[in-house]
Amino acid sequence: MKSLFISLTALFLLALQAQAAITGQQYCNRYMCVTGQHDSDKNLDTYTLQPPSGTNIPVSQFGWIAIGFGNTMINTPMVIAWPNSDGSITLSQRKTNNHVTPIVDSNPPRKATLLTSSSFSNFSTTSISFTLPSNSSAANSTNLIWAYGNKNPGSSSSSTSSLAQHLASGNTQISLLANSLPNTTTTSGNGTSSTSNSPISAGGSSKKVLIAHVACGGVATMAILPIGILVPRISRGLTMQRWWFPVHGALNGLTAFGLIVAAFGIARANFSGGFSSTHRKLGLTLFILSIIQTLLGILTHWWQPKHRLQTKSGRGPVNLLHMILGLVVVGIGFGTVWWGLDEEWERYSGSGKPNVGWKVGWGLVVGITALAYLGGFYFLPRQLRMEKERRQWASNVSNGNGHPTSKFIPTTSNNSSLPLPPPPPPTHTRPLQTPQTAVNTNTNTSTGYVPPPPPRRLPPRI
């Protein structure tokens, strides 16, 4: 009885060990599923690429499917696979140093081997499995890029076949050490089958994180920043009241700057790959220039000592730099959004390229902003005239001998910081008539009598 108990215990421990020897995780999107498994006993990794569950793609409509072991397409070892018309499967290991069609890698860091026993393609679906030697130390998180193309190369040659551009692509992360394999029969490196009842776990950056990044960056660069530069440009030519200043500061100095910082922080915390794309480089530039622009705004509007370079209006080089840098920030923001749509959205969203309507909307926002800002210069002469009259009025008030004479100068108690002078004396619209001097027609000056003038005869009526 004792020996039977020991035997059962040993078998149980061996079963646990065998079960724990194969670990992995699955990632799925609307185009494909990637199942990664790690066999710690054989030091072997197995990957299965197939359409999502419930999606049937016959061999006649199946293009190609691929994964790469890295963060971006550049310099990442890739395994590209496609089915052939005769039912066979082709594996092609490729690499590229730019965002162009990858070429065959004759000496890949890890050699992929097709698992013919578990790979198939028929009239309903396709499933491709291959093995790779594990890395020297299996990490808990493996970075992957993925791509799917709907045009088959049409050749079984792994070295000479040309690939059409992918329909969708992106990147993700899976854990080869997790016990999160789907509840399906999977094949290990030696061809034996094992089953796990753990739920499917989709790795990678959550789409909610992507949407948060897009929302923060898009609202800041496509809405708040443009409005923030249009408000002072137009309003200063319409009124002398400085209501535009708190609006400008709240929009650009607080809201837009905070959203840009939030978008940058979300990207750095959740998306790997560094600053490898134009979108990321522009985003870094936008982040740095936004900090400089905010500091310049504080220096311009709150602390600007008098110096010899100031003009009569009180402006100096800092004001000019603040205005020019503001336009540059808005332009870089527009560029960041464009390249984000063009480069990054397809890679991370898993939904393919963005609809053309997004780029049309981008063009409308840029065009309207440019036309409105240039149109604001129509009010520039009026702005300069109002500022000149205000300076003259302030100078007269400080000397105690002036009064406001312009409709642009405020005359109410809202401008209580400057004492209002007394109102001007009344003026006449036309000169007063001077009294006529009497002419002495009498030669007798001794009496001093001056006879009245003869009555004026009216012309006869006709």
Side-chain angles (χ1 to χ4, degrees):
M1 186 71 179
K2 184 177 180 180
S3 59
L4 179 61
F5 177 76
I6 295 176
S7 300
L8 291 175
T9 303
L11 290 174
F12 178 74
L13 292 176
L14 288 174
L16 288 178
Q17 184 179 3
Q19 183 178 4
I22 298 177
T23 57
Q25 195 175 46
Q26 186 183 70
Y27 164 78
C28 290
N29 55 51
R30 60 178 295 186
Y31 294 99
M32 59 183 290
C33 282
V34 180
T35 304
Q37 302 177 69
H38 173 66
D39 189 337
S40 58
D41 291 340
K42 298 183 178 297
N43 199 26
L44 200 66
D45 296 338
T46 302
Y47 290 92
T48 300
L49 312 181
Q50 58 190 4
S53 177
T55 303
N56 295 328
I57 304 177
V59 63
S60 60
Q61 301 177 11
F62 198 99
W64 55 269
I65 197 167
I67 61 172
F69 302 94
N71 297 307
T72 64
M73 182 177 179
I74 300 174
N75 296 324
T76 292
M78 308 175 195
V79 179
I80 304 173
W82 63 88
N84 302 303
S85 58
D86 58 359
S88 62
I89 304 293
T90 298
L91 282 185
S92 180
Q93 292 189 257
R94 304 195 178 198
K95 197 173 184 180
T96 181
N97 58 4
N98 208 334
H99 289 283
V100 295
T101 303
I103 60 176
V104 174
D105 187 358
S106 58
N107 188 25
R110 293 189 294 169
K111 180 68 175 178
T113 302
L114 179 69
L115 283 177
T116 56
S117 59
S118 58
S119 300
F120 62 90
S121 182
N122 52 37
F123 63 91
S124 61
T125 189
T126 297
S127 180
I128 302 173
S129 297
F130 59 90
T131 60
L132 289 167
S134 298
N135 288 324
S136 56
S137 60
N140 191 40
S141 181
T142 300
N143 295 318
L144 294 178
I145 62 172
W146 60 268
Y148 173 76
N150 59 354
K151 185 176 181 180
N152 193 283
S155 172
S156 60
S157 174
S158 61
S159 58
T160 60
S161 299
S162 60
L163 299 175
Q165 186 177 7
H166 51 69
L167 175 67
S169 64
N171 68 348
T172 186
Q173 292 178 338
I174 63 173
S175 175
L176 294 177
L177 302 182
N179 291 314
S180 303
L181 292 174
N183 188 18
T184 56
T185 301
T186 56
T187 307
S188 64
N190 58 2
T192 60
S193 298
S194 63
T195 302
S196 172
N197 294 322
S198 301
I200 296 175
S201 174
S205 300
S206 170
K207 194 169 184 178
K208 293 182 180 179
V209 175
L210 176 64
I211 293 175
H213 170 73
V214 171
C216 291
V219 170
T221 56
M222 300 301 292
I224 299 178
L225 282 178
I227 296 174
I229 66 169
L230 291 176
V231 167
R233 175 67 274 152
I234 297 175
S235 62
R236 287 184 296 178
L238 298 177
T239 178
M240 287 298 294
Q241 304 293 331
R242 284 176 60 86
W243 60 265
W244 61 267
F245 173 66
V247 175
H248 172 70
L251 287 175
N252 285 10
L254 294 178
T255 309
F257 178 69
L259 289 175
I260 290 173
V261 172
F264 185 81
I266 292 172
R268 292 295 296 156
N270 295 277
F271 304 110
S272 56
F275 303 101
S276 57
S277 65
T278 304
H279 170 74
R280 300 184 181 204
K281 293 174 183 177
L282 288 176
L284 175 62
T285 305
L286 177 64
F287 174 71
I288 296 174
L289 291 184
S290 297
I291 297 176
I292 298 175
Q293 176 69 347
T294 302
L295 295 177
L296 274 178
I298 296 174
L299 181 65
T300 300
H301 295 292
W302 276 289
W303 186 82
Q304 188 180 100
K306 293 183 178 180
H307 49 80
R308 60 186 180 88
L309 296 179
Q310 278 183 329
T311 62
K312 293 181 180 180
S313 63
R315 298 185 180 92
V318 177
N319 298 79
L320 182 62
L321 180 61
H322 181 59
M323 181 188 71
I324 295 176
L325 186 58
L327 296 176
V328 172
V329 168
V330 172
I332 292 178
F334 288 154
T336 304
V337 172
W338 173 267
W339 287 104
L341 290 172
D342 194 65
E343 290 182 341
E344 304 286 344
W345 178 259
E346 180 184 5
R347 182 181 304 172
Y348 288 97
S349 66
S351 58
K353 292 183 177 181
N355 191 284
V356 68
W358 288 102
K359 292 188 176 181
V360 172
W362 179 91
L364 288 176
V365 172
V366 173
I368 292 173
T369 302
L371 290 176
Y373 192 85
L374 293 176
F377 284 101
Y378 173 80
F379 301 104
L380 184 60
R382 175 184 170 92
Q383 173 191 341
L384 297 177
R385 186 170 69 252
M386 289 192 298
E387 291 177 352
K388 181 179 179 181
E389 292 184 1
R390 186 181 183 92
R391 291 194 301 271
Q392 292 175 348
W393 171 72
S395 177
N396 292 335
V397 169
S398 63
N399 294 332
N401 58 359
H403 53 80
T405 59
S406 172
K407 64 181 179 180
F408 303 130
I409 305 301
T411 59
T412 63
S413 58
N414 293 335
N415 196 24
S416 58
S417 59
L418 293 176
L420 293 177
T427 58
H428 299 282
T429 58
R430 59 182 180 179
L432 297 177
Q433 296 180 353
T434 57
Q436 297 181 355
T437 305
V439 180
N440 185 6
T441 58
N442 190 3
T443 57
N444 187 8
T445 60
S446 60
T447 62
Y449 172 75
V450 179
R456 183 180 179 183
R457 292 179 177 271
L458 297 176
R461 295 183 177 181
I462 301 176

